Each structure stands twice: as C-alpha cells, then as structure tokens.
Amino acid sequence: MRVLLIEPSTYNINAQVHPAGSPEPAELELAKDRVYNNTLQTSPTISLTLPYLAALMPADIEVTIAYDTCQYIEEEYDLKSFDLVGVTCTGGPTGQMPRALEWAKTLKGLAVPSVVGGPATMYDEHRLLPSLVQAFDAVVVGDAEPLLPNLLHDVCHSSAKKIYEYNGFLPIRDIPVPRFDLVNLELFTPPHVFPAMTSRGCPRSCTYCSEVLYSPWRFRPVDEVISELKLYQTKFGADKIVFRDDDFLVHPKRSREILTKMLPLGLEWACQTDLHLAQHLDIVQLAVDAGLRAVCFGLESIIAENRKDIGKNFFTLDGISELLLLLNEKGIETQISIIFGLDHDTLDVFDETVEF
C-alpha cells in the first residue's frame, strides 16, 4: 500500500469590489500564495505533523511526505499511483481549508481515495465537518493514533467510512520517533530546526485558542522525551529544536526535571510559554543554561479587563519587566503576542502598548 501525506498551502483571496449599484458581483480570485510559498521554502523549521503520522504507519506501508508550500506536488508525483492520500488541514478561510478542498476535488477526479484530519475537523464546534465529509472520502476527527489502524484496514478493503472519530484522550507515551528521514531537507534552509513535542493540549483555557480542542493537558514521560532528543541528534544530526508544546514551561516541577536532563545535550532550542514564568526566574536561568535561544509569550493585552474576558488572568503584569530584562541580558530572542480589538480597547491602546 502506498500512502501520500500532504500539508496544503494557503491561498490569497483578492476581492475585486465593484462600484455601488453595479450589476457586476464582487469576484474572488484564488491564487496560490507564492509569497507564503517562498517564505516557507526558505524556512529552517520543519513541520511535525506529517513525519509523526508517517511514524504511526505499519512498516509494510510505503509512505511519502509532500509539502504543498514548497513543492509542486501535481508535477512531482503520479497521484494515481497512490492507494491513499492524506491531507492535514487547519480551519478557517485564512488557513489551509480552501487549498485542502481543492486537493479533495483533484483526488476525486483521479479516483484516488482521500482522507483529511487536523484542527479543521474540530474547528468552531465541528462547523466545517459537513463540508469536509462531502469533499473527502473519509474524515478523521480527534487523535489519529487509535483511528489509523481501522482507517488503513478499511481503505485496503474498499470499505472506508465517512467519519472516523475518537472522543477520548489517550495518554501520550511510547510514541514513535517522527520520520524525518522521509522529509526532503533540501526544501528547508539550513541550519535545520527540528520540532519536538513533550505535551499535547494545554492546562490553560484561553477562550480564543484552538488548544482547548486537544484538552486535557497530557504530557510525555520526561525520560522518553530526553531519549527522543538524543535520537534526533544521532539519527538526524539535529542540534536545533523548537518545542511545539503550547506552553512548554508551564509546570515548574516538570520544567526543572526536563531542563536539568537537557543540560548535557548541548542543544539550542526555542519554545512558547506564558508570562506566569515571571514567578519562577530560577527556571528561566536553568532554561538558558539548557540551551534556550528564543521564546514566545502570549501577553494578548496590557488591559486587565481584556485578559480577564479571554481567560488570560493566570498572570499579572507584576514582575514581567524583570523577566523580560533578564532574557534580554542573556541574549534570548523574545517575542510577545498581542491581540488588538478586544472589548476594552480604545484608540489609545496602540500607543499604550508600544510604550509598555
């Protein structure tokens, strides 16, 4: 059995608005986003989803990974030679949904079985699910691990169901090492940054965030993570890592354990976490010693009422300056995420945020 796994590109939607009263309707032009394409092509960061899905496949299945963002898949591959094409998809009109639906149409025209999974299947209380079910031969909803064996069996016997859904939350332990050996690293600019996952979901409940779809927070055994990082080094030559956890340093006790065991590895790494870390500056120093080189924080708003409204009230602004100054002194690249347009914003919020 031959399986092709695709990560779709995104699209630019350029609206041509006609004058008021014109009988001509507004036209939407869909064009492959070459700017995004070129940006991804020169990115050093490798995606985790497809290599991990490939690692879940049985050994007797031939798996191919393709990135729509930096490849012309239709030209490079004979799509009809595959027994199944899987597409991962983020939700919303600005995500991968438009391109994923186009892939579904292309594959249906070639009579190639197709399956889709990813955040789009759960987005906005499953709002996109009917469209995905209509477009693809099968849809995977929820964690893929318990669903993949049945899906592959049914495809082999031409009896695939429309929906494969798992509503539970499996513990994430004893998981396979992602198949980065199937990734054409020439598509990504060196030095290559390899993604790693130490947890799934998030213990926070921010109202705007998609991570609530993957709750409750589940984390891997620390020793398993360390063993995998060592394999990254020996098997793939990885020395730069980005942790894809939504909140990598949220658990002080676990953070101290994993960072202490990372010290001898000599890795350079990046992560995202939350500003509650200001209460644990010893962890910041330990992280720097263990190879932290870049970190992203979600501040979202300097206005307390906004943060309360969106469930971001698990930290205050007290101590943030000390945290950010410490990171700056250590030469750590720091990113702060901001949301403008929340209910308590006024026009002054822009200048006030810049000043803060």
Side-chain angles (χ1 to χ4, degrees):
M1 184 178 186
R2 302 186 72 228
V3 175
L4 174 65
L5 299 177
I6 295 176
E7 183 169 301
S9 181
T10 60
Y11 272 75
N12 272 339
I13 302 179
N14 302 312
Q16 300 175 352
V17 181
H18 293 272
S22 169
E24 295 290 335
E27 297 178 358
L28 292 180
E29 178 186 355
L30 292 180
K32 189 168 183 179
D33 189 340
R34 298 302 184 190
V35 175
Y36 182 69
N37 182 18
N38 293 337
T39 300
L40 264 287
Q41 195 164 5
T42 57
S43 169
T45 304
I46 303 165
S47 173
L48 178 61
T49 302
L50 300 189
Y52 179 62
L53 287 174
L56 294 174
M57 299 282 182
D60 60 344
I61 291 182
E62 180 184 341
V63 184
T64 301
I65 291 176
Y67 294 98
D68 200 25
T69 52
C70 48
Q71 294 177 267
Y72 296 100
I73 299 172
E74 301 95 321
E75 301 172 10
E76 296 181 30
Y77 300 99
D78 176 11
L79 297 176
K80 296 183 70 173
S81 69
F82 293 96
D83 302 296
L84 176 67
V85 174
V87 179
T88 184
C89 183
T90 57
T94 59
Q96 298 166 332
M97 183 77 171
R99 178 59 170 157
L101 292 176
E102 186 174 85
W103 270 116
K105 182 178 180 180
T106 297
L107 295 168
K108 186 166 290 188
L110 296 173
V112 177
S114 63
V115 59
V116 66
T121 66
M122 304 173 74
Y123 175 81
D124 198 9
E125 298 182 347
H126 305 284
R127 181 175 62 85
L128 300 177
L129 194 55
S131 298
L132 293 170
V133 168
Q134 184 176 3
F136 288 86
D137 295 311
V139 180
V140 171
V141 182
D143 289 350
E145 291 93 338
L147 301 173
L148 193 57
N150 288 337
L151 168 67
L152 294 174
H153 174 273
D154 292 347
V155 170
C156 282
H157 292 82
S158 302
S159 59
K161 296 183 294 187
K162 291 300 293 185
I163 297 179
Y164 294 81
E165 184 170 8
Y166 182 74
N167 293 313
F169 299 99
L170 290 176
I172 51 172
R173 60 174 66 244
D174 301 320
I175 65 176
V177 178
R179 293 290 307 276
F180 295 118
D181 56 299
L182 299 179
V183 176
N184 180 4
L185 295 179
E186 293 183 358
L187 298 173
F188 300 88
T189 302
H192 298 127
V193 180
F194 287 80
M197 174 187 67
T198 81
S199 67
R200 187 177 296 174
C202 184
R204 310 302 190 187
S205 56
C206 307
T207 58
Y208 59 87
C209 184
S210 66
E211 282 299 325
V212 297
L213 302 175
Y214 310 104
S215 294
W217 188 51
R218 294 160 284 162
F219 50 85
R220 299 172 62 189
V222 169
D223 287 340
E224 182 179 320
V225 173
I226 298 301
S227 295
E228 182 176 89
L229 293 177
K230 291 178 179 178
L231 277 175
Y232 275 32
Q233 292 178 301
T234 58
K235 192 172 183 179
F236 308 115
D239 60 2
K240 292 178 174 57
I241 301 292
V242 55
F243 289 105
R244 288 307 189 193
D245 304 46
D246 192 66
D247 200 333
F248 180 56
L249 299 175
V250 67
H251 191 302
K253 181 179 179 181
R254 182 171 186 267
S255 296
R256 292 185 182 96
E257 180 183 2
I258 195 169
L259 292 174
T260 299
K261 292 184 177 182
M262 284 177 60
L263 284 170
L265 299 184
L267 291 168
E268 294 184 331
W269 51 275
C271 71
Q272 56 185 27
T273 187
D274 68 60
L275 286 162
H276 185 71
L277 191 61
Q279 307 301 316
H280 304 282
L281 295 183
D282 65 307
I283 294 179
V284 178
Q285 182 60 59
L286 183 57
V288 173
D289 294 340
L292 175 66
R293 295 295 178 265
V295 59
C296 178
F297 295 104
L299 171 59
E300 320 316 348
S301 176
I302 63 171
I303 299 173
E305 291 87 348
N306 280 335
R307 297 198 307 278
K308 181 179 179 181
D309 285 352
I310 62 177
K312 202 87 178 187
N313 53 359
F314 45 83
F315 66 86
T316 67
L317 300 190
D318 298 336
I320 287 180
S321 295
E322 185 179 359
L323 167 66
L324 298 182
L325 283 171
L326 174 60
L327 291 168
N328 183 63
E329 291 170 358
K330 300 295 183 180
I332 307 303
E333 178 184 335
T334 306
Q335 301 175 12
I336 302 291
S337 296
I338 300 289
I339 300 174
F340 288 118
L342 296 171
D343 288 349
H344 296 279
D345 283 348
T346 66
L347 290 178
D348 295 330
V349 72
F350 302 103
D351 290 337
E352 291 173 358
T353 302
V354 172
E355 178 62 24
F356 175 82

